């Protein structure tokens, strides 16, 4: 992670070399109580259900109302292995039974906002919904828990997870910030209840939603962490256009946007606000994808799908798009800075990453001809009505495909309808897609590429037992070298041989915020560190 403070940014703009600093309050500063944090969110949540959704549009306004079993340490959110208890007691437990049993003791002082006391039964019901959802219930990350055999509560203060096999990916999977703890009695009555209603145990209580405008929360006086939260409340203000979000921060109508701005917006805010703005930056565990619909011609043919990726100049696109969008790094299916990620040399052996773009596009044209693709037809390209980076990268992709004779019409949809389109898997030929994760945990992060009977967030509509088998072998192995071998084989099958889905570029996170915002630290994910219980406002500034 690279965290850059105001002085560093100003010096960079002036072409002066400077050292990198760290954000937030110093040890001598004591958090101040009170105030309302106003922040902007580029899209509205499709639903309130954390187990169903995969978008920041749900996490940013809704996460403050909920708590988790365990969480990434909010004081060290860039770590890949620093986890702390949330509603469990003490420290995150070590496994027993040869690494196959984890026993959590649950706090007895946690209350739902509706007044009922949390018990271990609520935690079990929550994870059963996530791991083994009944028919008709979407659980976006159920594939993360393929190692889990059972979840039980021997009493009201104890939760036991039994695994089929030891797995180092299990604890990071528990800390995923979408794993909101729900009330068993509500789930027993209606598994869909949390899609449209909120009843959490988080630091803030829901007070109001104005559709298209704002979601508000107020301090929870019964929050189980004494002395927190510091804020009186928050307002998550919806603003689809980037220009409006930048203007809101510049005019102090909002203090921060937690998702990220492109370099130009950062520079404009720094130039306009000077000492009143700070900037934090980080590599981002989020990649923008191309998902062909395997059920629609011509993309039911591997040759036509392979032509899609061969037409795209990722190496050249990175240099251009990184100047105007929140994307930067060329990579495969693994977060590029992880030890399991492909090297540049390994990537260049995969279709779509060849160093010679002319050779790639010549091969794409040849494959389109062999597949009998009708180049007089215009195909549908499904995209999301969010400027950064969806619409910008989508427009670039259409131009890339035009260079090999493929014509696409872009259909841009608001977040809710966009997700509906993906889940139906019927009405598009090719779609923008993404694999944005929270905890950097590649062994599970790549579950999006599994058969859609195992990964409900895989929208290409394909079955690939070879990829599934490699994923299982990789997750059952304790040898890093063997894991890396299986990952490379899975990557080659997914991106090249079977041409199931494709990565475009990985994202880069830039967060300018008002200097009076303290206690928040950037992470490699726009899903992490959004409980807001640590945030406070430096009102004396």
């Amino acid at each position: 992670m690279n965290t850059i403070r105001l002085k560093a940014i100003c010096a960079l703009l002036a072409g002066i070399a400077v050292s990198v600093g760290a954000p937030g309050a110093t040890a001598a500063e004591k958090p101040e109580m009170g105030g309302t944090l106003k922040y902007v969110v580029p899209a509205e949540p499709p639903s309130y259900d954390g187990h169903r959704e995969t978008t920041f549009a749900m996490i940013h306004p809704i996460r403050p109302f909920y708590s988790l079993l365990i969480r990434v340490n909010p004081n060290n959110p860039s770590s890949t292995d620093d986890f702390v208890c949330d509603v469990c007691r003490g420290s995150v437990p070590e496994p027993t039974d040869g690494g196959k049993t984890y026993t959590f003791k649950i706090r007895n002082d946690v209350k739902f906002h509706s007044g009922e006391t949390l018990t271990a039964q609520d935690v079990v019901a929550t994870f059963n919904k996530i791991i083994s959802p009944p028919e008709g219930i979407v659980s976006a990350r159920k594939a993360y828990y393929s190692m889990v055999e059972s979840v039980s509560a021997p009493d009201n203060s104890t939760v036991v997870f039994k695994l089929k096999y030891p797995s180092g990916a299990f604890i990071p999977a528990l800390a995923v910030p979408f794993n909101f703890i729900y009330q068993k009695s509500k789930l027993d009555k209606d598994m869909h209840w949390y899609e449209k209603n909120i009843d959490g145990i988080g630091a803030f209580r829901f007070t109001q939603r104005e559709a298209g405008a704002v979601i508000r929360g107020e301090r929870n006086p019964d929050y189980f962490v004494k002395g927190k939260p510091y804020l009186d409340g928050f307002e998550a203000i919806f603003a689809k256009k980037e220009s409006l979000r930048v203007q809101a921060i510049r005019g102090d109508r909002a203090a921060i946007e937690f998702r990220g701005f492109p370099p130009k917006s950062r520079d404009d805010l720094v130039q306009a606000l000077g000492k009143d703005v700070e900037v934090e930056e980080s590599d981002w565990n989020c990649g923008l994808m191309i998902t062909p619909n395997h059920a629609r011609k011509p993309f039911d043919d591997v040759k036509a799908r392979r032509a899609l990726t061969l037409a795209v100049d990722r190496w050249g696109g990175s240099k251009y798009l990184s100047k105007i969008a929140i994307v930067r790094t060329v990579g495969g299916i693994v977060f590029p800075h992880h030890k399991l990620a492909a090297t540049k040399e390994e990537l260049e052996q995969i279709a779509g990453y060849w160093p010679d773009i002319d050779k790639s596009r010549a091969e794409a044209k040849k494959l389109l001809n062999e597949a009998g693709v009708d180049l007089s037809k215009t195909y549908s390209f499904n995209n999301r009505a969010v400027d950064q980076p969806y619409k910008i990268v989508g427009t670039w992709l259409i131009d890339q495909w035009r260079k090999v004779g493929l014509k696409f019409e872009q259909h841009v949809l608001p977040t809710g309808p966009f997700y509906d389109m993906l889940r139906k898997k019927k009405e598009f030929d090719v779609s923008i897609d993404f694999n944005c994760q929270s905890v950097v945990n590649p062994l599970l992060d790549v579950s999006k590429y599994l058969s859609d009977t195992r990964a409900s967030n895989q929208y290409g509509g394909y079955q690939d037992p070879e990829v599934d088998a490699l994923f299982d072998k990789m997750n059952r192995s304790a040898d890093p070298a063997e894991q890396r071998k299986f990952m490379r084989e899975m990557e080659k099958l997914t991106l090249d041989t079977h041409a199931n889905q494709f990565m475009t570029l990985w994202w880069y996170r830039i967060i300018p915020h008002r200097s009076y915002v303290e206690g928040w630290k950037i992470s490699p994910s726009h899903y992490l560190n959004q409980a807001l219980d640590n945030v406070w406002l430096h009102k004396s500034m």
Side-chain angles (χ1 to χ4, degrees), residues 139-161:
S139 175
R141 288 157 291 275
K142 68 178 182 179
Y144 286 18
Y145 305 95
S146 56
M147 78 289 284
V148 177
E149 182 176 283
S150 66
V151 190
S152 62
D155 56 59
N156 280 341
S157 63
T158 308
V159 174
V160 178
F161 289 85

Side-chain angles (χ1 to χ4, degrees), residues 242-254 261 269:
E242 180 191 326
S243 60
L244 294 177
R245 300 193 298 275
V246 172
Q247 289 169 18
I249 294 174
R250 183 169 179 170
D252 205 16
R253 295 184 297 277
F261 284 125
L269 283 169

Side-chain angles (χ1 to χ4, degrees), residues 14 23 33 39 48 106 164 190 220 236 240 299 345 349 414 433 440 471 479 485 536:
M33 301 293 293
Y39 56 96
Y48 297 150
I106 305 303
K164 301 169 189 173
D190 182 5
N220 176 11
K240 293 181 180 179
F299 303 109
E345 291 72 23
Q349 304 307 308
D433 197 355
V440 178
F471 177 84
D479 180 359
K485 172 180 175 292
W536 57 280

Side-chain angles (χ1 to χ4, degrees), residues 427-476:
E427 305 300 326
F428 66 87
D429 294 315
V430 179
S431 181
I432 277 281
D433 197 355
F434 60 90
N435 194 18
C436 294
Q437 302 294 336
S438 51
V439 183
V440 178
N441 187 14
L443 291 176
L444 295 182
D445 290 351
V446 299
S447 64
K448 185 174 175 67
Y449 301 98
L450 298 178
S451 298
D452 67 355
T453 49
R454 294 187 57 178
S456 57
N457 64 333
Q458 185 258 91
Y459 304 119
Y462 62 83
Q463 299 295 305
D464 196 326
E466 290 182 68
V467 167
D468 297 348
L470 286 166
F471 177 84
D472 291 337
K473 288 179 182 178
M474 181 171 62
N475 273 278
R476 287 175 180 266

Side-chain angles (χ1 to χ4, degrees), residues 237-505:
I237 303 164
F238 301 114
K240 293 181 180 179
K241 292 186 177 180
E242 180 191 326
S243 60
L244 294 177
R245 300 193 298 275
V246 172
Q247 289 169 18
I249 294 174
R250 183 169 179 170
D252 205 16
R253 295 184 297 277
I256 190 170
E257 188 228 271
F258 290 113
R259 184 167 175 265
F261 284 125
K264 178 67 164 57
S265 294
R266 171 201 62 198
D267 297 346
D268 289 347
L269 283 169
V270 168
Q271 188 171 33
L273 296 178
K275 64 180 178 58
D276 292 328
V277 69
E278 294 181 1
V279 180
E280 301 183 40
E281 301 191 6
S282 173
D283 291 302
W284 202 337
N285 189 20
C286 192
L288 205 63
M289 298 167 56
I290 303 162
T291 295
N293 189 339
H294 290 233
R296 285 168 70 103
K297 292 185 179 299
F299 303 109
D300 59 341
D301 188 327
V302 65
K303 292 181 178 179
R305 297 197 302 271
R306 205 161 176 265
L308 285 173
T309 187
L310 283 162
V312 177
D313 182 7
R314 291 164 174 84
W315 303 109
S318 172
K319 296 174 184 177
Y320 162 69
L321 289 169
S322 62
K323 297 176 182 178
I324 62 171
I326 55 173
V327 295
R328 188 168 77 170
T329 306
V330 178
I333 64 175
V334 178
F335 181 55
H337 301 284
H338 194 274
K339 60 186 178 183
L340 290 178
T343 64
K344 186 173 187 291
E345 291 72 23
E346 288 169 332
L347 282 175
E348 288 181 344
Q349 304 307 308
I350 297 173
Y353 297 86
W354 299 346
D356 186 341
I357 189 60
D358 292 332
K359 174 186 173 184
S360 293
R361 288 178 177 156
E363 177 67 11
K365 291 175 182 178
K366 174 174 172 287
L367 291 173
L368 290 171
N369 181 60
E370 291 176 0
V373 175
D374 183 356
L375 297 181
S376 68
K377 182 179 177 180
T378 298
Y379 298 96
S380 66
F381 180 62
N382 181 46
N383 204 349
R384 186 178 184 184
V386 176
D387 290 343
Q388 289 289 350
Y390 295 88
K391 289 165 67 176
I392 292 174
V393 174
T395 301
W396 171 74
L397 284 172
I398 287 174
D399 181 66
Q400 297 285 291
W401 290 324
R402 189 181 293 117
K403 296 180 188 300
V404 297
L406 281 169
K407 294 190 290 290
F408 281 90
E409 181 179 358
Q410 187 168 202
H411 300 279
V412 177
L413 299 173
T415 295
F418 170 77
Y419 273 92
D420 288 341
M421 182 68 74
L422 283 177
R423 287 166 179 149
K424 289 174 184 174
K425 303 175 186 174
K426 295 178 182 177
E427 305 300 326
F428 66 87
D429 294 315
V430 179
S431 181
I432 277 281
D433 197 355
F434 60 90
N435 194 18
C436 294
Q437 302 294 336
S438 51
V439 183
V440 178
N441 187 14
L443 291 176
L444 295 182
D445 290 351
V446 299
S447 64
K448 185 174 175 67
Y449 301 98
L450 298 178
S451 298
D452 67 355
T453 49
R454 294 187 57 178
S456 57
N457 64 333
Q458 185 258 91
Y459 304 119
Y462 62 83
Q463 299 295 305
D464 196 326
E466 290 182 68
V467 167
D468 297 348
L470 286 166
F471 177 84
D472 291 337
K473 288 179 182 178
M474 181 171 62
N475 273 278
R476 287 175 180 266
S477 173
D479 180 359
E482 191 173 52
Q483 289 173 352
R484 199 174 194 285
K485 172 180 175 292
F486 291 140
M487 185 70 84
R488 295 285 74 73
E489 292 176 13
M490 180 179 174
E491 186 171 60
K492 178 73 172 177
L493 282 179
T494 297
L495 301 181
D496 190 337
T497 310
H498 295 175
N500 292 333
Q501 300 184 85
F502 316 110
M503 186 64 68
T504 61
L505 296 168

